[in-house]
Amino acid sequence: MTIDEAVVYFYIYSFLGWIYESTFVSVREKHWDNRGFLIGPICPIYGAGGLLFALMGTHMSIPVTFLVCMVSSAVLEYTTGYTLEKLFHASWWDYSNMPLNLNGYICLPASLLFGTMGVLVSHFIHPIVSLPMQYIPSWVVNIAALILVGVTSADMTVTVSILSDFVDKLVEIDKTVNRAIDEKYKELETSVSGTIKTVKSIPASVKDKIIDQEIKNSDISLTNIQIKVLSKIKSFRSESAGRNSDENHSRVKDFIQRLPIRKQ
């Protein structure tokens, strides 16, 4: 397998992964959900996994292939999820509600599924996908690889720029919102201290007013392309929420739904 062929295979499996992920999540959520980190219809994590599985070929037995693919995909998924969250304070997937999960980045059911997919790709799917490559001139593969890398580089630049600028602003709003909600807790606790020792929740309408006010003060608005990028985020993981952090936790989609859209 040449480098150019590896690049093409990476994008093929990235696209197939995007189809699988978007379809699976859309069926589960009962509405179309465009998955993936980038604007375009690819999921690079599937591309990396698919290419890795393809490189394994049929040199290993199915049980060994399953085990290697399960472990390697778990390491890849955990590393990717952790890195993205540290960079952007955001999560594109969350297994927190799944059994035997590790920090919400990976879980045993998903790892078992990826192990199975690894066997299917390396032993059955890739031999079929690679057949047409034998009949495509090398210069065509070279040009295709260059175009794909160029388009994805531009996509990556735009996506990272949008997320970096927006998340910086969102972090500041989130801190302000959580401080305001925390103050509201203290105010309620003080007013009812003679009857109730601790206030565990405040009305959703109060939170809504606080969030709306802070968004209005921030003067942030979104373009259509920003909405497309940000809507793919599963949740915004705040590091500023203190007391009652589970309840104070602000989510990107909640903010996005409230932000005004400006014309491009």
Side-chain angles (χ1 to χ4, degrees):
M1 183 186 299
T2 66
I3 294 178
D4 291 328
E5 288 175 343
V7 170
V8 172
Y9 288 137
F10 171 84
Y11 284 100
I12 289 175
Y13 291 117
S14 293
F15 177 65
L16 293 177
W18 175 82
I19 292 176
Y20 160 76
E21 184 82 10
S22 297
T23 302
F24 177 80
V25 175
S26 296
V27 170
R28 185 183 64 189
E29 300 294 335
K30 297 181 180 180
H31 64 81
W32 173 246
D33 195 327
N34 182 9
R35 304 296 293 167
F37 168 67
L38 301 176
I39 298 172
I42 60 172
C43 287
I45 190 171
Y46 283 92
L51 180 58
L52 175 64
F53 301 155
L55 290 172
M56 291 179 182
T58 56
H59 307 300
M60 295 183 292
S61 64
I62 289 180
V64 174
T65 300
F66 173 81
L67 182 60
V68 172
C69 291
M70 182 183 72
V71 173
S72 59
S73 64
V75 172
L76 177 63
E77 191 172 31
Y78 190 97
T79 303
T80 303
Y82 177 84
T83 302
L84 288 175
E85 182 174 329
K86 287 301 178 182
L87 288 174
F88 303 111
H89 303 281
S91 174
W92 276 258
W93 65 88
D94 190 353
Y95 294 129
S96 297
N97 296 324
M98 296 291 289
L100 301 175
N101 75 84
L102 182 58
N103 298 326
Y105 299 127
I106 58 174
C107 67
L108 183 58
S111 296
L112 291 173
L113 176 60
F114 286 131
T116 303
M117 290 172 61
V119 171
L120 292 175
V121 170
S122 61
H123 287 263
F124 303 101
I125 297 176
H126 187 69
I128 297 174
V129 172
S130 62
L131 280 177
M133 195 70 73
Q134 303 174 19
Y135 304 99
I136 300 176
S138 59
W139 66 269
V140 174
V141 176
N142 295 343
I143 292 176
L146 287 173
I147 292 175
L148 289 170
V149 170
V151 171
T152 304
S153 297
D155 190 341
M156 178 74 74
T157 300
V158 172
T159 301
V160 171
S161 177
I162 288 173
L163 287 173
S164 297
D165 293 343
F166 183 79
V167 170
D168 285 345
K169 296 176 182 178
L170 202 57
V171 166
E172 293 304 315
I173 297 176
D174 180 71
K175 289 179 180 178
T176 305
V177 167
N178 282 308
R179 281 197 299 266
I181 290 176
D182 225 22
E183 291 175 0
K184 182 60 67 174
Y185 276 113
K186 293 177 182 178
E187 178 184 323
L188 288 174
E189 285 182 352
T190 301
S191 64
V192 296
S193 59
T195 307
I196 302 174
K197 295 293 184 181
T198 303
V199 175
K200 295 184 178 180
S201 64
I202 60 176
S205 59
V206 175
K207 290 184 180 180
D208 288 340
K209 289 181 180 178
I210 293 174
I211 293 174
D212 285 335
Q213 184 59 48
E214 293 308 322
I215 288 175
K216 184 182 296 184
N217 293 341
S218 69
D219 193 31
I220 292 179
S221 59
L222 297 177
T223 64
N224 290 327
I225 194 170
Q226 287 175 324
I227 290 176
K228 186 173 182 179
V229 171
L230 295 168
S231 63
K232 295 183 178 185
I233 296 176
K234 179 71 174 178
S235 64
F236 175 71
R237 298 197 173 187
S238 166
E239 295 183 355
S240 64
R243 184 162 56 93
N244 301 295
S245 59
D246 288 342
E247 189 170 352
N248 287 10
H249 203 78
S250 301
R251 295 187 175 276
V252 157
K253 289 189 176 180
D254 185 32
F255 281 117
I256 290 175
Q257 291 171 355
R258 300 164 186 259
L259 291 171
I261 302 174
R262 69 173 183 269
K263 295 181 179 179
Q264 293 178 298

